[in-house]
Amino acid sequence: MNDAITITPASLTSTSLIAADKVTGTSVYNLAGEKLGSVDNIMIDKASGRAIYAVMSFGGFLGMGEGYHALPWSTLKYSHDKGGYVVDLDKDRLTDAPVHDGGEDFMWTPEYGRRVDGYYNAPMMWF
């Protein structure tokens, strides 16, 4: 008896689960409906397998001057109406948030995580 499950691209998204590559590029909006940016990457805790941060690209033009903001995953809520994530942030608050330029020399550290979590008043999810 063969109990194997065939996974097709169409089956990688369900009502509550989504493949990580489908999250990349998803728009992020504030409560006023303004598009703030889009998800560039997801940071996953190696030990637990939980998504900890969505890295959102923000600002810039045609990729120039763009900043990358780590948003605690707990701050994002998926909106079926918008087809994207909604956060309780305005653009001014995001402008002052911890940011990195996406360069190869950037290293995620517990200190950076504490800065991000503290800025958004989110529980620390990794050490």
Side-chain angles (χ1 to χ4, degrees), residues 32-113:
E34 299 171 300
K35 182 178 175 183
L36 298 175
S38 59
V39 176
D40 185 71
N41 214 333
I42 301 169
M43 301 304 291
I44 299 171
D45 179 70
K46 289 180 185 179
S48 70
R50 293 177 54 197
I52 305 298
Y53 299 103
V55 179
M56 182 183 74
S57 58
F58 173 74
F61 180 70
L62 298 176
M64 302 294 288
E66 196 166 48
Y68 295 89
H69 295 265
L71 299 174
W73 193 260
S74 62
T75 66
L76 289 99
K77 305 293 180 235
Y78 188 77
S79 166
H80 290 281
D81 294 338
K82 295 225 174 281
Y85 293 95
V86 176
V87 293
D88 188 6
L89 295 171
D90 60 27
K91 288 183 180 181
D92 291 336
R93 179 131 170 88
L94 195 56
T95 300
D96 295 332
V99 63
H100 67 89
D101 65 5
E104 291 181 22
D105 59 342
F106 179 77
M107 182 175 287
W108 288 85
T109 63
E111 178 189 344
Y112 185 74

Side-chain angles (χ1 to χ4, degrees), residues 9-10 12-13 18-26:
L12 291 176
T13 302
I18 189 165
D21 66 338
K22 300 250 186 230
V23 175
T24 303
T26 301

